[in-house]
Amino acid sequence: MWRLNAQRSAHTEQTISDSLHVQWVHQLPRLDPAFKNARLQFDAGYEPIVKNGILFYGSSSTNSITAIDVKTGKERWRFFTNGPIRLAPVAWKNSVLFGSDDGHLYSLSAQTGELQWKFQAVPSSRLILGNRRLVSVWPVRGGPVIENDTLYFAAGVWPFEGVFIYALNAETGEQLWVNDRLGFLYGQHPHAAEAFGGVTPQGYLLIAEKELIVPCGTAFPARLNKQTGELIEFKLPKAGRKPGGWFTAAGKSARRGETELSKPELQFDRDVNSARHENGLNYGPDGKRGLLQQIQVGPKQISYQSQIPGVEGTIYSLLVASNRLFVVTLEGNLYCLGPDKTEPAAYQSPLLNRTEAVRTQAASSKTATVILDQTSAGGFVFLAGIPDEKLIDNLLTNKHLQVIVLDTDSDQIEKLRQTYYERGWNASKISFLNGSLAELALPAYFAQLMIAQEPQQSGSQSLLQLVSRLYPSIRPYGGALLLKCSELSHAKLAKEFQNLSQAQISHRDGYTVIKKAGPIPGSTNYTGGWSSPDELVKAPVGVLWYDDSVGHFKRAPQPMFVDGVMISHSKYWQGYPAGIRPPYKLLEAQYSDVYTGRKLTKKQAQTWVEELPTRDITKKQLSQYRPPSQKNDWSPAPPVIGERTNPLTGQTEPRAFPKSYGCDGGVDYSYLFTMRSGTAAFYDKRVESGTIHISGPRSGCTNSIVPANGLLNVPYYFQGCTCSYPLPVGLSLISMPESHEQWMVWGKSDVNDIRRVGLNFGAPGDRKTDRGTLWLDVPSVGGPSPKLDLVVKPETIRPFYQHSLWIEGGRGWPWVGASGITEVESISLKNMKRSDYTMRLYFMEPEYSAPEKRVFSVSLNGKPLIKNLDIYQETQMSHHILVREFSQIPIDGRLDLTFTASAGKPLICGMELVEKNLPLDTLDKIPSQSQKLLTKK
């Protein structure tokens, strides 16, 4: 394993000769880490492992894992995946196991590279742009670790999207346990703030006695019970300015005969847990300098700063195995040193040897003129179906394009992967997806150009279906879709899509060209003025892209958003305390693509925006940039913006909502109020959403959370701050369907005469629906909520929770049916308005896959309501929502439900009460799906 073992000790009892000579060297391309922030650079170089005479290493540059014969240095095999491989594999028995940014954990034969099994971490194939690459929303960046034939790993980066921590049987891939509750933890944040946050697995998992340790980016790690997956501890430091980092190792363990440690010690590297604050360098609270950059070989310690004969460059990693020393340099060279004097064998990656002839061999193509029209500003090109290779070669001559090729023919995809690897192209320039458009959910707006071949090549049944699947992913302001079709087929398409929003349809050189012109209807530009009534940005929201390529000082002025381009300025803040004091001067403008996060040159930005707004960088700047409504720069008043109708009572009241620490007091952009509340946060006035936290990053001291161009933009305004928020990056979010799981904090209030309410048993937080129901978490764990006169018995009930992605069918809200309480005996709710109600009771079987295991009856106010309910018998499957609806239920101020079981334990997931004549939510059908995460060859 990486650093030898499950404790990541880097301490081996093997010994090596004092006299070492280079046996062979592999010259590889230098890796481009996911993040620019050093505290997150777990993948800045290659991290090989060695077992039974074979060296294995993964690569984000080629989306592959490679096996090398230790004796000769010759490559034995190479295996490609659909995403970057950023962390070291583990070798176990006759297998090698590793995770990929494509959201899968793979097990291969160590000898042949043949797939044994793969495990999809999350039952969703939704893709986004993560760190400039097309990846799963839930990449496997919690590096795998094995102990006692159990494999542990973690998937997911963003807490509010859900994170998934697993224990699998290492031989079969069968699931032992999963914890998917840790993305929704309301509690402590830096500066004594309170907000939703959660575990953000990025770095190498490790074992410390009975605990599984999960590194969390630039925060501090979480501790789990390795047998059950239950959380033991996870906290962001209450005090500010204490930086964490991605690296940790197990420290002191209980010695034989000693009492077992109540809390195993962890070791940190002070150099990793350090960052530049505005007024000097800050270090984390614990740590030994240089711990990451040394290994222990028997009695001898070898430092990365050592001079090793024959090795050139900066040492990035060292390991000892098979009586050899292996050295990796930051520049990309992989050396093997042994005791024998020999002429070193040298192997060079094709990616370092791409010849001029290959770069210019692209032949002319009929589509060349159309392509040139669409790609002058660079961007992503998506090919739905494998075209003539000449077309691919044409695209590759443009250094500003990234090409992604999808096809259902796995053999052809593998052939092209190998071909373009051998020609010297890395995966950040051209990558391949084996699969069907029907199985993947591409991100919206990401492609500057899409070119489609025969519909069947990408898993579509017709050109009409192909357009419907691809057009949402075309970038506004001039992106285009090219479909190979005849004049007759073009005429049919043009007629079918004549009313398609923004579409300009023409026929050129045998292709139908569908151009997405102008802005998305309902979206806005923003150049200042503290108002941006963008109609498309609405809760709930999900990640569209994230990256840290474009960064800003925390008190820099607001960004501007014009026609899909973000124009922003950072400040020269690094001089303090060396003489330069705030307010700092502005730096030159930065430009980036709103829809992908891609950094742009000014010339590229001008392709889309003829007149770019400017700021006078010679003018003396303010230290703070505040809206007129904020009277105090550092201690803003709690937000109250107009009035709302209380969803519980129907009464008019001030629109007040919880806001925790943040000198950004918030801005009312018309539909959204955005603010820093511990984390970046917002309140949707149209939904009366409560406070929704975008957990992971902090936003700027300047209000930097801006709805514009159809997205909720949260650029990277973290520089000059060292607080241990786990994700110092920028991101943009897009509105998601109402079925999407997202939790919020409504706030405290006393309520009487309730007319409408939802009780969401076992939920992590509150949630408001568009039609009017405020669902409250019971028990209340997700921050302050309205206080109900509610009694659930017995008081010792333990709720259960599963992420709503596991729901496989039924009707209703998945995020209600996915959690609940078992062993319930009674539920009593008082302070209801005297009236008639519609009552909906939610049920879901989380445990059994056969009938007659759980059978119970429900009574309402002493009268039978449901008799002998067998959830599985009615649904014929687990994880399927069953809703029972009852109309004209008279309630005289109080409701009492009682539960009695004839088999198993009673269960309930949710209860909704809506007074007559109030609008009801539509119980939409949830798509049925068979969730088979494990695939065996």
Side-chain angles (χ1 to χ4, degrees):
M1 281 179 269
W2 180 72
R3 293 179 66 83
L4 185 66
N5 51 32
Q7 290 70 46
R8 312 299 189 184
S9 72
H11 187 166
T12 178
E13 296 303 325
Q14 288 193 40
T15 57
I16 51 174
S17 171
D18 290 332
S19 178
L20 293 171
H21 309 275
V22 176
Q23 307 295 296
W24 51 259
V25 59
H26 272 261
Q27 297 171 342
L28 306 172
R30 183 168 182 159
L31 292 181
D32 182 22
F35 298 99
K36 308 302 181 188
N37 190 311
R39 288 161 60 198
L40 268 173
Q41 286 187 352
F42 47 81
D43 61 337
Y46 299 94
E47 293 285 9
I49 62 166
V50 175
K51 189 169 190 287
N52 295 338
I54 305 176
L55 179 145
F56 308 93
Y57 72 89
S59 170
S60 59
S61 183
T62 59
N63 292 1
S64 70
I65 188 162
T66 303
I68 294 174
D69 186 278
V70 162
K71 290 182 180 179
T72 65
K74 291 183 179 179
E75 183 176 311
R76 294 179 62 132
W77 53 259
R78 179 181 299 272
F79 183 93
F80 292 93
T81 72
N82 281 349
I85 299 169
R86 299 194 179 276
L87 294 139
V90 294
W92 172 86
K93 294 187 177 179
N94 297 313
S95 301
V96 58
L97 304 100
F98 61 95
S100 167
D101 271 7
D102 67 12
H104 290 79
L105 195 290
Y106 294 81
S107 176
L108 310 180
S109 163
Q111 296 294 322
T112 67
E114 183 180 1
L115 179 68
Q116 295 171 328
W117 53 262
K118 69 176 180 178
F119 187 91
Q120 184 178 356
V122 177
S124 169
S125 296
R126 181 174 143 225
L127 301 176
I128 58 176
L129 292 176
N131 309 110
R132 309 166 297 284
R133 304 284 287 276
L134 191 65
V135 301
S136 168
V137 179
W138 304 275
V140 179
R141 293 189 183 174
V145 64
I146 288 183
E147 185 184 68
N148 297 332
D149 301 341
T150 298
L151 171 76
Y152 304 90
F153 77 98
V157 169
W158 293 97
F160 59 89
E161 291 279 12
V163 294
F164 298 75
I165 304 173
Y166 280 99
L168 305 182
N169 180 304
E171 183 170 359
T172 66
E174 302 292 340
Q175 179 181 313
L176 302 177
W177 56 254
V178 60
N179 188 330
D180 54 359
R181 177 64 175 81
L182 301 185
F184 315 108
L185 303 174
Y186 186 86
Q188 179 177 298
H189 278 61
H191 297 289
E194 288 191 343
F196 264 114
V199 173
T200 56
Q202 294 200 88
Y204 290 90
L205 274 59
L206 60 135
I207 304 292
E209 296 188 358
K210 293 184 177 181
E211 296 184 3
L212 174 68
I213 309 300
V214 182
C216 292
T218 56
F220 290 87
R223 298 171 180 261
L224 278 67
N225 182 311
K226 71 180 182 182
Q227 298 296 330
T228 65
E230 290 186 10
L231 180 66
I232 297 172
E233 180 184 72
F234 175 70
K235 282 186 178 179
L236 298 177
K238 186 174 183 179
R241 303 185 181 181
K242 292 187 177 180
W246 65 270
F247 168 72
T248 186
K252 181 181 178 182
S253 298
R255 302 292 187 262
R256 186 174 299 174
E258 293 180 349
T259 303
E260 190 174 278
L261 295 176
S262 59
K263 182 177 179 180
E265 181 184 315
L266 299 181
Q267 294 181 333
F268 301 97
D269 189 321
R270 203 159 181 252
D271 291 331
V272 175
N273 291 15
S274 66
R276 175 68 189 273
H277 191 270
E278 180 183 1
N279 57 356
L281 196 64
N282 281 347
Y283 292 94
D286 301 296
K288 174 183 176 183
R289 300 198 68 174
L291 179 65
L292 175 62
Q293 295 201 330
Q294 62 188 33
I295 63 173
Q296 189 78 27
V297 183
K300 183 165 56 175
Q301 190 177 91
I302 307 178
S303 165
Y304 290 13
Q305 282 70 47
S306 303
Q307 295 295 315
I308 300 177
V311 172
E312 297 180 358
T314 303
I315 294 177
Y316 177 77
S317 186
L318 295 172
L319 66 130
V320 168
S322 299
N323 300 314
R324 292 166 172 81
L325 174 67
F326 299 89
V327 184
V328 181
T329 67
L330 190 63
E331 293 77 11
N333 288 343
L334 169 56
Y335 295 86
C336 172
L337 292 90
D340 300 329
K341 284 189 176 181
T342 183
E343 184 67 28
Y347 304 89
Q348 189 177 58
S349 167
L351 274 63
L352 297 174
N353 196 30
R354 194 169 74 245
T355 63
E356 194 66 27
V358 171
R359 286 202 299 269
T360 60
Q361 72 177 10
S364 62
S365 166
K366 281 188 175 182
T367 57
T369 55
V370 186
I371 291 170
L372 288 173
D373 288 347
Q374 305 302 326
T375 57
S376 56
F380 289 88
V381 178
F382 186 87
L383 304 180
I386 297 171
D388 186 318
E389 283 185 33
K390 292 178 181 178
L391 174 57
I392 297 178
D393 294 337
N394 248 316
L395 294 167
L396 293 176
T397 60
N398 185 330
K399 66 180 181 179
H400 298 297
L401 295 181
Q402 285 183 248
V403 181
I404 301 166
V405 184
L406 173 139
D407 201 282
T408 57
D409 188 333
S410 57
D411 292 337
Q412 192 69 9
I413 284 288
E414 284 304 308
K415 179 182 175 183
L416 282 183
R417 277 174 170 156
Q418 189 64 33
T419 295
Y420 281 91
Y421 166 71
E422 291 173 357
R423 290 182 185 175
W425 295 103
N426 67 35
S428 64
K429 181 65 177 177
I430 180 168
S431 58
F432 298 89
L433 296 175
N434 173 24
S436 163
L437 288 173
E439 300 166 352
L440 298 174
L442 295 173
Y445 313 141
F446 85 100
Q448 181 62 28
L449 177 65
M450 287 184 150
I451 305 175
Q453 306 301 312
E454 294 297 324
Q456 290 73 22
Q457 284 187 259
S458 55
S460 298
Q461 302 302 312
S462 65
L463 286 171
L464 296 179
Q465 189 180 70
L466 194 57
V467 173
S468 298
R469 287 175 172 171
L470 294 179
Y471 189 73
S473 294
I474 296 292
R475 190 186 184 280
Y477 302 102
L481 169 61
L482 276 60
L483 299 111
K484 200 171 187 178
C485 63
S486 65
E487 289 277 6
L488 180 61
S489 295
H490 167 75
K492 292 180 180 178
L493 280 176
K495 183 178 180 181
E496 180 70 25
F497 293 107
Q498 59 184 328
N499 296 320
L500 189 60
S501 175
Q502 300 172 262
Q504 296 176 350
I505 305 176
S506 60
H507 194 252
R508 294 176 60 185
D509 299 326
Y511 279 79
T512 289
V513 181
I514 306 178
K515 189 173 182 179
K516 188 178 282 187
I520 313 167
S523 65
T524 58
N525 284 338
Y526 181 75
T527 56
W530 314 106
S531 179
S532 186
D534 196 302
E535 297 173 7
L536 302 183
V537 185
K538 181 174 179 292
V541 293
V543 177
L544 183 66
W545 63 261
Y546 60 92
D547 192 30
D548 66 348
S549 293
V550 180
H552 309 85
F553 177 57
K554 60 186 177 179
R555 290 195 303 278
Q558 281 193 305
M560 297 178 281
F561 301 87
V562 180
D563 296 353
V565 175
M566 183 176 84
I567 305 99
S568 58
H569 296 260
S570 191
K571 282 189 166 188
Y572 180 67
W573 60 274
Q574 291 89 344
Y576 181 50
I580 299 173
R581 293 289 193 272
Y584 311 109
K585 69 176 183 179
L586 283 185
L587 299 176
E588 293 286 347
Q590 302 178 91
Y591 306 98
S592 55
D593 182 359
V594 169
Y595 299 106
T596 65
R598 189 170 61 93
K599 197 170 184 176
L600 303 172
T601 64
K602 185 175 183 179
K603 185 177 180 180
Q604 288 173 322
Q606 287 172 330
T607 304
W608 294 316
V609 185
E610 290 183 13
E611 248 184 85
L612 291 164
T614 59
R615 293 184 187 274
D616 184 355
I617 66 172
T618 65
K619 183 180 177 182
K620 185 175 181 180
Q621 294 295 309
L622 300 169
S623 181
Q624 314 288 340
Y625 301 85
R626 305 295 190 208
S629 58
Q630 183 170 336
K631 306 304 181 185
N632 186 308
D633 275 348
W634 298 103
S635 300
V640 178
I641 44 171
E643 294 183 331
R644 68 184 174 198
T645 299
N646 186 300
L648 297 173
T649 66
Q651 300 298 309
T652 300
E653 65 182 18
R655 185 185 281 117
F657 42 90
K659 181 190 181 303
S660 193
Y661 174 86
C663 48
D664 161 28
V667 172
D668 186 352
Y669 285 103
S670 186
Y671 296 125
L672 294 191
F673 186 93
T674 78
M675 59 193 154
R676 181 179 171 200
S677 177
T679 70
F682 70 99
Y683 182 102
D684 189 330
K685 292 158 63 177
R686 287 163 296 180
V687 184
E688 306 295 1
S689 66
T691 302
I692 297 175
H693 294 98
I694 305 164
S695 51
R698 59 150 286 184
S699 51
C701 300
T702 298
N703 182 276
S704 57
I705 315 159
V706 182
N709 291 177
L711 303 178
L712 183 57
N713 303 282
V714 189
Y716 179 20
Y717 270 66
F718 206 133
Q719 293 176 347
C721 172
T722 61
C723 296
S724 61
Y725 289 95
L727 290 167
V729 299
L731 71 158
S732 283
L733 301 110
I734 189 168
S735 291
M736 300 293 286
E738 203 174 357
S739 58
H740 181 76
E741 181 172 338
Q742 189 156 84
W743 305 106
M744 56 81 162
V745 186
W746 178 259
K748 293 181 179 179
S749 64
D750 293 320
V751 289
N752 289 293
D753 290 336
I754 297 170
R755 302 176 62 201
R756 181 180 194 133
V757 68
L759 305 181
N760 199 350
F761 299 103
D766 300 335
R767 178 69 185 268
K768 171 75 166 40
T769 69
D770 289 358
R771 299 296 295 275
T773 299
L774 175 58
W775 288 89
L776 301 175
D777 55 336
V778 180
S780 182
V781 295
S785 291
K787 186 171 178 57
L788 303 179
D789 193 344
L790 174 71
V791 177
V792 179
K793 291 185 178 180
E795 295 180 1
T796 55
I797 285 178
R798 293 190 64 187
F800 67 86
Y801 166 87
Q802 296 171 311
H803 196 283
S804 63
L805 287 169
W806 297 115
I807 296 298
E808 296 192 24
R811 293 181 180 275
W813 299 121
W815 38 267
V816 174
S819 64
I821 51 177
T822 57
E823 303 184 31
V824 57
E825 296 174 0
S826 66
I827 299 171
S828 176
L829 177 63
K830 299 178 182 178
N831 285 336
M832 298 293 297
K833 180 184 175 184
R834 295 183 179 183
S835 187
D836 291 344
Y837 288 80
T838 296
M839 180 170 68
R840 289 170 171 170
L841 301 180
Y842 273 71
F843 304 96
M844 184 274 296
E845 180 51 67
E847 184 179 359
Y848 300 118
S849 54
E852 300 181 9
K853 298 290 186 179
R854 189 194 311 273
V855 182
F856 60 95
S857 299
V858 184
S859 296
L860 171 64
N861 294 338
K863 297 180 181 179
L865 184 70
I866 302 174
K867 188 175 181 181
N868 295 328
L869 176 62
D870 186 331
I871 303 169
Y872 188 87
Q873 179 70 48
E874 293 207 23
T875 61
Q876 291 300 303
M877 60 191 307
S878 58
H879 300 95
H880 186 104
I881 291 179
L882 173 66
V883 175
R884 289 290 188 89
E885 182 173 315
F886 307 91
S887 301
Q888 300 298 312
I889 299 290
I891 297 180
D892 189 17
R894 173 174 177 153
L895 173 143
D896 289 290
L897 290 179
T898 55
F899 299 77
T900 54
S902 55
K905 302 292 185 182
L907 169 154
I908 187 169
C909 297
M911 177 173 71
E912 183 180 22
L913 293 164
V914 181
E915 188 187 10
K916 65 179 182 180
N917 301 325
L918 292 179
L920 289 168
D921 288 329
T922 301
L923 294 180
D924 288 333
K925 185 175 181 181
I926 301 166
S928 295
Q929 54 185 339
S930 179
Q931 296 177 354
K932 295 182 179 178
L933 301 183
L934 184 62
T935 303
K936 296 192 176 182
K937 193 68 175 178

